[in-house]
Amino acid sequence: MRSLSTKLTFAFLLIGILGVALVTGLTAASTRFEFDRFVTTERRGDRDGRGERDERREQIEPEIVQETEGNNGRFDTNEDNRSSSEHLFLFNVLRASVLSGVGAIIAALLGGVLLSRGLTRPLRALTDATQRMADGELGTQVKVSSRDEIGRLANAFNHMSHDLAQATHKRQQMTADMAHDLRTPLTILRGYMEGIKDGSVANSPQIVNIMYDEVLHLEHLVKDLRTLSLADAGELTLHKQKIHPRVLLERTGLAYVVQAEQKGLELRIETADPLPQIEVDVERMTQVLYNLVSNALRFTDQGEIVLSATAVKSQVTLQVRD
Protein backbone atom coordinates (compact mmCIF):
# COMPACT_ATOMS: atom_id res chain seq x y z
CA MET A 1 0.00 0.00 0.00
CA ARG A 2 1.41 3.34 -1.02
CA SER A 3 -1.05 5.60 0.80
CA LEU A 4 -1.06 6.17 4.56
CA SER A 5 -4.82 6.85 4.49
CA THR A 6 -5.33 3.46 2.83
CA LYS A 7 -3.28 1.77 5.54
CA LEU A 8 -5.28 3.47 8.27
CA THR A 9 -8.56 2.54 6.57
CA PHE A 10 -7.58 -1.12 6.32
CA ALA A 11 -6.32 -1.07 9.91
CA PHE A 12 -9.65 0.23 11.23
CA LEU A 13 -11.52 -2.23 9.01
CA LEU A 14 -9.41 -5.11 10.31
CA ILE A 15 -10.06 -4.10 13.93
CA GLY A 16 -13.81 -3.86 13.23
CA ILE A 17 -13.88 -7.25 11.52
CA LEU A 18 -11.92 -8.78 14.39
CA GLY A 19 -14.36 -7.36 16.95
CA VAL A 20 -17.45 -8.51 15.05
CA ALA A 21 -16.01 -11.99 14.48
CA LEU A 22 -15.05 -12.35 18.14
CA VAL A 23 -18.44 -11.18 19.44
CA THR A 24 -20.31 -13.37 16.95
CA GLY A 25 -18.22 -16.45 17.71
CA LEU A 26 -18.38 -16.16 21.48
CA THR A 27 -22.08 -15.31 21.49
CA ALA A 28 -22.93 -18.21 19.18
CA ALA A 29 -20.89 -20.68 21.20
CA SER A 30 -22.26 -19.57 24.58
CA THR A 31 -25.84 -19.36 23.28
CA ARG A 32 -25.63 -22.88 21.86
CA PHE A 33 -24.23 -24.18 25.14
CA GLU A 34 -26.92 -22.49 27.24
CA PHE A 35 -29.67 -23.58 24.85
CA ASP A 36 -28.56 -27.22 24.98
CA ARG A 37 -28.46 -27.08 28.77
CA PHE A 38 -31.90 -25.46 28.86
CA VAL A 39 -33.41 -28.15 26.59
CA THR A 40 -31.79 -30.92 28.61
CA THR A 41 -33.19 -29.48 31.84
CA GLU A 42 -36.68 -29.21 30.35
CA ARG A 43 -36.64 -32.80 29.08
CA ARG A 44 -35.50 -34.11 32.45
CA GLY A 45 -38.32 -32.19 34.16
CA ASP A 46 -40.91 -33.60 31.75
CA ARG A 47 -39.73 -37.20 32.36
CA ASP A 48 -39.90 -36.76 36.11
CA GLY A 49 -43.45 -35.35 35.85
CA ARG A 50 -44.70 -38.25 33.70
CA GLY A 51 -43.23 -40.84 36.08
CA GLU A 52 -44.96 -39.38 39.06
CA ARG A 53 -48.30 -39.25 37.23
CA ASP A 54 -48.06 -42.95 36.22
CA GLU A 55 -47.46 -43.97 39.81
CA ARG A 56 -50.47 -42.02 40.96
CA ARG A 57 -52.77 -43.71 38.41
CA GLU A 58 -52.13 -47.10 40.06
CA GLN A 59 -53.48 -45.92 43.40
CA ILE A 60 -57.02 -46.74 44.61
CA GLU A 61 -60.14 -44.89 43.46
CA PRO A 62 -60.77 -42.99 46.70
CA GLU A 63 -57.49 -41.18 46.16
CA ILE A 64 -58.50 -39.71 42.76
CA VAL A 65 -59.31 -36.36 44.19
CA GLN A 66 -56.04 -36.24 46.07
CA GLU A 67 -54.15 -37.40 42.92
CA THR A 68 -55.84 -34.67 40.90
CA GLU A 69 -54.94 -32.09 43.45
CA GLY A 70 -51.41 -33.46 43.60
CA ASN A 71 -51.10 -33.33 39.84
CA ASN A 72 -52.30 -29.75 39.83
CA GLY A 73 -49.70 -28.88 42.42
CA ARG A 74 -46.95 -30.62 40.46
CA PHE A 75 -48.07 -28.86 37.28
CA ASP A 76 -47.72 -25.53 38.99
CA THR A 77 -44.26 -26.51 40.22
CA ASN A 78 -43.22 -27.53 36.70
CA GLU A 79 -44.43 -24.20 35.35
CA ASP A 80 -42.38 -22.36 37.96
CA ASN A 81 -39.35 -24.46 37.11
CA ARG A 82 -39.85 -23.76 33.41
CA SER A 83 -40.09 -19.99 34.03
CA SER A 84 -36.96 -20.08 36.24
CA SER A 85 -35.03 -22.02 33.57
CA GLU A 86 -36.02 -19.53 30.89
CA HIS A 87 -34.87 -16.61 33.02
CA LEU A 88 -31.62 -18.40 33.75
CA PHE A 89 -31.15 -19.11 30.05
CA LEU A 90 -31.75 -15.47 29.09
CA PHE A 91 -29.44 -14.27 31.86
CA ASN A 92 -26.65 -16.58 30.70
CA VAL A 93 -27.06 -15.45 27.09
CA LEU A 94 -26.93 -11.81 28.16
CA ARG A 95 -23.85 -12.47 30.28
CA ALA A 96 -22.16 -14.23 27.37
CA SER A 97 -22.94 -11.29 25.10
CA VAL A 98 -21.48 -8.81 27.60
CA LEU A 99 -18.35 -10.91 28.07
CA SER A 100 -18.01 -11.25 24.29
CA GLY A 101 -18.28 -7.47 23.90
CA VAL A 102 -15.65 -6.88 26.59
CA GLY A 103 -13.38 -9.41 24.94
CA ALA A 104 -13.88 -7.75 21.57
CA ILE A 105 -13.00 -4.35 23.06
CA ILE A 106 -9.84 -5.77 24.61
CA ALA A 107 -8.86 -7.50 21.35
CA ALA A 108 -9.54 -4.33 19.34
CA LEU A 109 -7.46 -2.32 21.82
CA LEU A 110 -4.53 -4.72 21.54
CA GLY A 111 -4.82 -4.78 17.75
CA GLY A 112 -4.98 -0.98 17.63
CA VAL A 113 -1.87 -0.69 19.82
CA LEU A 114 0.09 -3.09 17.61
CA LEU A 115 -1.03 -1.40 14.40
CA SER A 116 -0.39 2.11 15.75
CA ARG A 117 3.10 1.13 16.84
CA GLY A 118 3.81 -0.19 13.38
CA LEU A 119 2.59 3.04 11.79
CA THR A 120 4.28 5.43 14.23
CA ARG A 121 7.66 3.64 14.35
CA PRO A 122 9.02 5.46 11.25
CA LEU A 123 7.69 8.76 12.63
CA ARG A 124 9.59 8.18 15.86
CA ALA A 125 12.72 7.40 13.83
CA LEU A 126 12.28 10.64 11.89
CA THR A 127 11.80 12.56 15.14
CA ASP A 128 14.98 11.09 16.63
CA ALA A 129 16.96 11.81 13.45
CA THR A 130 15.69 15.39 13.39
CA GLN A 131 16.76 15.83 17.00
CA ARG A 132 20.23 14.47 16.19
CA MET A 133 20.51 16.91 13.30
CA ALA A 134 19.48 19.73 15.63
CA ASP A 135 22.28 18.62 17.96
CA GLY A 136 24.81 18.94 15.13
CA GLU A 137 24.92 15.43 13.63
CA LEU A 138 24.57 16.51 10.01
CA GLY A 139 24.13 13.79 7.41
CA THR A 140 21.93 11.64 9.68
CA GLN A 141 19.97 9.05 7.69
CA VAL A 142 16.83 7.10 8.50
CA LYS A 143 15.70 3.73 7.20
CA VAL A 144 13.01 3.86 4.51
CA SER A 145 10.65 0.94 5.11
CA SER A 146 7.62 1.90 2.99
CA ARG A 147 6.55 3.78 -0.13
CA ASP A 148 3.67 5.73 1.38
CA GLU A 149 3.67 9.35 2.58
CA ILE A 150 5.94 8.47 5.52
CA GLY A 151 8.36 6.70 3.17
CA ARG A 152 8.46 9.71 0.86
CA LEU A 153 8.99 11.95 3.89
CA ALA A 154 11.91 9.74 4.98
CA ASN A 155 13.42 9.93 1.48
CA ALA A 156 13.09 13.71 1.45
CA PHE A 157 14.66 13.89 4.91
CA ASN A 158 17.61 11.74 3.81
CA HIS A 159 18.21 13.91 0.72
CA MET A 160 17.92 17.08 2.79
CA SER A 161 20.30 15.77 5.43
CA HIS A 162 22.84 14.67 2.81
CA ASP A 163 22.65 17.97 0.93
CA LEU A 164 22.94 19.94 4.16
CA ALA A 165 26.03 17.99 5.18
CA GLN A 166 27.59 18.49 1.74
CA ALA A 167 26.77 22.20 1.75
CA THR A 168 28.21 22.64 5.23
CA HIS A 169 31.39 20.81 4.21
CA LYS A 170 31.76 22.96 1.10
CA ARG A 171 31.11 26.11 3.10
CA GLN A 172 33.78 25.12 5.62
CA GLN A 173 36.22 24.32 2.81
CA MET A 174 35.46 27.62 1.08
CA THR A 175 35.98 29.51 4.32
CA ALA A 176 39.33 27.82 4.81
CA ASP A 177 40.34 28.61 1.21
CA MET A 178 39.26 32.23 1.49
CA ALA A 179 41.15 32.60 4.78
CA HIS A 180 44.25 31.25 3.06
CA ASP A 181 43.78 33.58 0.08
CA LEU A 182 43.28 36.58 2.36
CA ARG A 183 46.26 35.71 4.51
CA THR A 184 48.72 35.66 1.59
CA PRO A 185 48.39 39.33 0.46
CA LEU A 186 48.09 40.48 4.07
CA THR A 187 51.36 38.73 4.91
CA ILE A 188 53.10 40.34 1.96
CA LEU A 189 51.79 43.80 2.85
CA ARG A 190 52.77 43.40 6.49
CA GLY A 191 56.26 42.25 5.58
CA TYR A 192 56.95 45.20 3.29
CA MET A 193 55.42 47.70 5.71
CA GLU A 194 57.47 46.38 8.64
CA GLY A 195 60.61 46.51 6.46
CA ILE A 196 59.92 50.10 5.46
CA LYS A 197 59.15 50.99 9.09
CA ASP A 198 62.42 49.66 10.52
CA GLY A 199 64.46 50.78 7.48
CA SER A 200 65.49 47.32 6.27
CA VAL A 201 63.57 47.80 2.97
CA ALA A 202 63.92 50.90 0.85
CA ASN A 203 60.70 52.63 -0.11
CA SER A 204 60.94 52.39 -3.90
CA PRO A 205 58.34 52.67 -6.70
CA GLN A 206 58.70 48.94 -7.31
CA ILE A 207 57.78 48.13 -3.67
CA VAL A 208 54.83 50.53 -3.89
CA ASN A 209 53.58 48.79 -7.07
CA ILE A 210 53.82 45.39 -5.38
CA MET A 211 51.88 46.62 -2.37
CA TYR A 212 49.32 48.26 -4.62
CA ASP A 213 48.82 44.99 -6.53
CA GLU A 214 48.28 43.12 -3.27
CA VAL A 215 45.70 45.71 -2.20
CA LEU A 216 43.88 45.17 -5.52
CA HIS A 217 44.05 41.44 -4.88
CA LEU A 218 42.44 41.93 -1.48
CA GLU A 219 39.74 44.10 -3.02
CA HIS A 220 39.09 41.40 -5.60
CA LEU A 221 38.71 38.75 -2.86
CA VAL A 222 36.35 40.94 -0.87
CA LYS A 223 34.19 41.49 -3.96
CA ASP A 224 34.12 37.73 -4.51
CA LEU A 225 32.98 37.22 -0.93
CA ARG A 226 30.20 39.74 -1.38
CA THR A 227 29.12 38.06 -4.62
CA LEU A 228 29.02 34.67 -2.86
CA SER A 229 27.00 36.06 0.03
CA LEU A 230 24.47 37.60 -2.37
CA ALA A 231 24.20 34.35 -4.32
CA ASP A 232 23.77 32.36 -1.10
CA ALA A 233 20.97 34.70 0.00
CA GLY A 234 19.28 34.49 -3.40
CA GLU A 235 19.72 38.23 -4.00
CA LEU A 236 22.25 38.06 -6.84
CA THR A 237 20.54 39.57 -9.86
CA LEU A 238 21.41 38.30 -13.32
CA HIS A 239 21.09 40.39 -16.47
CA LYS A 240 21.06 37.86 -19.27
CA GLN A 241 21.80 38.67 -22.88
CA LYS A 242 22.74 36.66 -25.95
CA ILE A 243 26.42 36.46 -26.85
CA HIS A 244 28.65 34.15 -28.88
CA PRO A 245 30.84 31.86 -26.71
CA ARG A 246 34.01 32.77 -28.65
CA VAL A 247 33.49 36.47 -27.80
CA LEU A 248 33.53 35.60 -24.10
CA LEU A 249 36.71 33.54 -24.46
CA GLU A 250 38.49 36.19 -26.53
CA ARG A 251 37.56 38.85 -23.99
CA THR A 252 39.07 36.73 -21.21
CA GLY A 253 42.16 35.87 -23.24
CA LEU A 254 42.91 39.50 -24.04
CA ALA A 255 42.71 40.39 -20.35
CA TYR A 256 45.39 37.82 -19.39
CA VAL A 257 47.57 37.49 -22.50
CA VAL A 258 50.24 39.86 -21.13
CA GLN A 259 50.52 37.98 -17.82
CA ALA A 260 50.79 34.69 -19.69
CA GLU A 261 53.63 36.03 -21.87
CA GLN A 262 55.45 37.33 -18.77
CA LYS A 263 55.42 33.80 -17.32
CA GLY A 264 56.41 32.24 -20.63
CA LEU A 265 53.03 30.54 -21.07
CA GLU A 266 50.97 30.21 -24.23
CA LEU A 267 47.35 31.30 -23.94
CA ARG A 268 45.23 29.78 -26.72
CA ILE A 269 41.53 29.81 -27.65
CA GLU A 270 39.89 26.79 -29.27
CA THR A 271 36.27 26.76 -30.42
CA ALA A 272 34.29 24.25 -32.43
CA ASP A 273 32.19 25.45 -35.33
CA PRO A 274 29.36 26.10 -35.53
CA LEU A 275 28.52 27.27 -32.03
CA PRO A 276 25.10 28.64 -31.05
CA GLN A 277 24.73 31.83 -29.09
CA ILE A 278 24.24 31.53 -25.35
CA GLU A 279 22.08 33.63 -23.04
CA VAL A 280 24.10 34.56 -19.93
CA ASP A 281 24.95 37.42 -17.62
CA VAL A 282 28.09 38.58 -19.43
CA GLU A 283 29.60 40.28 -16.39
CA ARG A 284 29.14 37.27 -14.10
CA MET A 285 30.27 34.77 -16.71
CA THR A 286 33.36 36.88 -17.42
CA GLN A 287 34.06 36.94 -13.69
CA VAL A 288 33.92 33.13 -13.56
CA LEU A 289 36.32 32.82 -16.51
CA TYR A 290 38.65 35.43 -14.99
CA ASN A 291 38.84 33.45 -11.77
CA LEU A 292 39.62 30.21 -13.60
CA VAL A 293 42.31 31.74 -15.81
CA SER A 294 43.82 33.66 -12.87
CA ASN A 295 44.12 30.42 -10.87
CA ALA A 296 45.62 28.65 -13.89
CA LEU A 297 48.24 31.39 -14.30
CA ARG A 298 49.07 31.29 -10.59
CA PHE A 299 49.67 27.54 -10.44
CA THR A 300 51.11 26.87 -13.91
CA ASP A 301 54.89 27.35 -14.42
CA GLN A 302 55.27 25.99 -17.93
CA GLY A 303 53.18 24.80 -20.85
CA GLU A 304 49.98 26.39 -22.01
CA ILE A 305 46.51 27.49 -20.93
CA VAL A 306 43.67 26.68 -23.34
CA LEU A 307 40.22 28.28 -23.34
CA SER A 308 37.76 26.14 -25.29
CA ALA A 309 34.07 25.97 -26.16
CA THR A 310 32.21 22.90 -27.43
CA ALA A 311 28.54 22.28 -28.21
CA VAL A 312 26.56 19.12 -27.43
CA LYS A 313 23.00 19.34 -28.74
CA SER A 314 21.57 22.50 -27.16
CA GLN A 315 24.25 22.90 -24.48
CA VAL A 316 27.57 24.73 -24.70
CA THR A 317 30.52 23.84 -22.46
CA LEU A 318 33.17 26.45 -21.64
CA GLN A 319 36.45 25.02 -20.37
CA VAL A 320 39.77 26.34 -19.02
CA ARG A 321 42.56 23.76 -19.21
CA ASP A 322 46.16 24.18 -18.03
Side-chain angles (χ1 to χ4, degrees):
M1 302 177 212
R2 296 187 177 183
S3 173
L4 181 60
S5 60
T6 304
K7 285 185 177 182
L8 291 174
T9 301
F10 275 98
F12 293 144
L13 180 62
L14 179 61
I15 293 175
I17 292 175
L18 177 63
V20 171
L22 188 60
V23 170
T24 303
L26 291 177
T27 303
S30 60
T31 302
R32 181 181 181 84
F33 173 76
E34 294 296 335
F35 181 76
D36 290 342
R37 188 172 65 175
F38 174 75
V39 172
T40 302
T41 302
E42 288 298 315
R43 288 177 179 176
R44 187 182 297 113
D46 292 341
R47 286 197 302 270
D48 293 341
R50 285 195 301 270
E52 290 178 358
R53 286 194 296 273
D54 292 339
E55 291 178 358
R56 287 295 180 180
R57 290 192 186 99
E58 295 177 356
Q59 294 180 355
I60 58 176
E61 187 66 24
E63 299 177 351
I64 293 177
V65 175
Q66 296 179 357
E67 179 181 1
T68 304
E69 294 176 353
N71 286 335
N72 292 333
R74 283 193 298 273
F75 178 79
D76 294 338
T77 301
N78 289 336
E79 288 295 331
D80 293 340
N81 291 335
R82 181 185 298 274
S83 177
S84 176
S85 298
E86 289 177 353
H87 282 88
L88 180 62
F89 169 73
L90 294 176
F91 172 76
N92 289 333
V93 170
L94 179 61
R95 183 182 61 179
S97 301
V98 172
L99 292 177
S100 301
V102 173
I105 293 174
I106 295 175
L109 179 62
L110 294 177
V113 169
L114 294 176
L115 290 173
S116 64
R117 285 185 176 181
L119 292 174
T120 58
R121 188 180 296 111
L123 292 178
R124 292 196 299 270
L126 278 171
T127 302
D128 294 339
T130 304
Q131 185 61 47
R132 291 198 301 271
M133 282 190 63
D135 294 337
E137 297 182 21
L138 302 180
T140 302
Q141 299 289 295
V142 296
K143 182 180 179 181
V144 180
S145 56
S146 62
R147 293 183 294 176
D148 55 13
E149 289 85 351
I150 297 179
R152 292 196 293 272
L153 178 61
N155 275 322
F157 175 85
N158 289 336
H159 286 300
M160 179 194 68
S161 178
H162 178 267
D163 293 342
L164 182 59
Q166 291 289 331
T168 302
H169 176 73
K170 290 180 179 179
R171 187 184 301 276
Q172 293 173 347
Q173 184 65 40
M174 183 189 70
T175 303
D177 293 339
M178 294 300 297
H180 178 269
D181 291 339
L182 288 171
R183 186 171 57 248
T184 300
L186 287 174
T187 302
I188 295 174
L189 288 171
R190 179 178 180 179
Y192 280 117
M193 293 180 69
E194 288 179 350
I196 294 174
K197 182 178 179 180
D198 59 21
S200 60
V201 175
N203 189 4
S204 62
Q206 182 180 3
I207 299 299
V208 173
N209 289 333
I210 293 175
M211 295 175 65
Y212 180 73
D213 290 339
E214 294 302 326
V215 170
L216 292 179
H217 186 200
L218 281 173
E219 184 182 3
H220 178 71
L221 292 175
V222 171
K223 288 177 63 177
D224 286 347
L225 281 175
R226 175 170 173 75
T227 302
L228 288 175
S229 64
L230 289 175
D232 190 41
E235 298 178 356
L236 184 63
T237 57
L238 299 177
H239 303 283
K240 295 183 179 181
Q241 57 181 330
K242 290 187 177 181
I243 189 173
H244 196 278
R246 186 174 182 87
V247 175
L248 277 176
L249 299 181
E250 290 177 347
R251 180 177 177 178
T252 305
L254 291 174
Y256 287 94
V257 64
V258 176
Q259 296 184 29
E261 291 177 353
Q262 290 176 353
K263 293 194 64 172
L265 301 175
E266 181 182 2
L267 185 61
R268 294 191 299 107
I269 297 176
E270 294 180 354
T271 57
D273 291 326
L275 285 175
Q277 286 190 334
I278 56 177
E279 187 175 2
V280 296
D281 187 317
V282 177
E283 181 181 354
R284 298 301 180 189
M285 187 60 68
T286 303
Q287 184 181 5
V288 172
L289 293 173
Y290 279 7
N291 288 334
L292 293 175
V293 175
S294 176
N295 289 335
L297 286 171
R298 185 180 304 176
F299 298 105
T300 303
D301 296 326
Q302 59 181 358
E304 63 179 7
I305 298 175
V306 180
L307 283 70
S308 63
T310 56
V312 178
K313 295 183 179 179
S314 59
Q315 295 183 345
V316 175
T317 301
L318 304 179
Q319 185 178 41
V320 177
R321 185 179 71 250
D322 58 19

